[in-house]
Amino acid sequence: IVFASPKGGKAPMDPGSVEHATDSKTVQSFLANPDFTHKIDHTHKVEEFIGKESQFAAIVYPGGHGPTFDLEHNEAALKITAAAYEAGKVVSAVCHGPIALTDVKLSDGTLLVKGKNVTGFSDDEEIAVQLEHVVPSMLETKFKKIGALYHKADEKWAVKVVTDGRIVTGQNPASARPFGEAIHAAIQASHH
């Protein structure tokens, strides 16, 4: 597992995400693992992996509000995601992370997620946390605008994971575990 961020170095973590995960044994175990904390504190620059997409089974974009500012228009991330997908790899994102998929153009010029089934942080959830005027783009709205087939859970904060071939998306923090399981399943399916 390789951790990368737009600038490299210490990756900032959304304080709200960390705070809301204090009761999660899985998250606390992750944050207590020195190998993972070292990787968080010493990320590679995303651009280092241009041309190396075939070395990975999947690209995973995490949640938190950071991706809405850092990844929506990040040229290196867009190139890597398109190349990974076209190389038969799984591309995935959870919560706000799917914003990184919205501007990805494949080599034929089509948008990666146009006509694809996806999910991500809903507009209702963004309004509930009162950040709809802070984030550069409302994810659900943008997905619909670009022609993606957006799906969400029947209730805010409920689990929702959507797999469309090698594209795996999760709606919110509650979706994290099944999102990870869906990535694993998609990787296994792509090897058959």
Side-chain angles (χ1 to χ4, degrees):
I1 297 176
V2 174
F3 288 45
S5 64
K7 296 179 181 176
K10 184 175 176 70
M13 286 196 280
D14 182 346
S17 296
V18 174
E19 181 182 318
H20 285 96
T22 55
D23 60 346
S24 168
K25 287 186 169 94
T26 303
V27 173
Q28 293 309 311
S29 173
F30 176 84
L31 294 174
N33 182 315
D35 182 47
F36 286 125
T37 55
H38 179 80
K39 288 180 178 186
I40 291 168
D41 290 344
H42 301 89
T43 66
H44 293 268
K45 284 186 176 183
V46 172
E47 65 193 33
E48 292 175 37
F49 299 101
I50 294 173
K52 299 178 182 176
E53 300 84 3
S54 64
Q55 297 176 15
F56 300 94
I59 304 288
V60 181
Y61 291 105
H65 282 87
T68 64
F69 298 95
D70 297 342
L71 294 173
E72 183 175 9
H73 307 294
N74 183 282
E75 288 299 322
L78 296 172
K79 287 178 187 175
I80 289 167
T81 304
Y85 185 78
E86 290 183 328
K89 306 303 179 180
V90 172
V91 296
S92 59
V94 66
C95 197
H96 287 87
I99 198 72
L101 307 179
T102 60
D103 287 351
V104 174
K105 285 188 180 169
L106 302 176
S107 58
D108 65 4
T110 61
L111 289 172
L112 169 69
V113 296
K114 184 175 183 177
K116 298 287 195 307
N117 294 290
V118 295
T119 192
F121 208 64
S122 71
D123 289 357
D124 292 339
E125 290 166 326
E126 201 69 75
I127 291 165
V129 297
Q130 301 179 339
L131 291 173
E132 71 273 20
H133 299 295
V134 175
V135 293
S137 296
M138 295 283 279
L139 184 54
E140 176 182 346
T141 297
K142 183 162 184 190
F143 268 143
K144 290 175 178 177
K145 181 180 177 184
I146 63 173
L149 306 174
Y150 179 82
H151 303 269
K152 63 182 172 182
D154 293 336
E155 296 181 19
K156 289 187 300 265
W157 317 116
V159 172
K160 184 70 172 181
V161 175
V162 175
T163 300
D164 192 331
R166 290 177 289 103
I167 300 172
V168 180
T169 49
Q171 182 174 330
N172 51 36
S175 306
R177 181 179 295 275
F179 168 71
E181 293 165 352
I183 294 168
H184 182 261
I187 292 169
Q188 297 304 315
S190 71
H191 290 304
H192 291 98

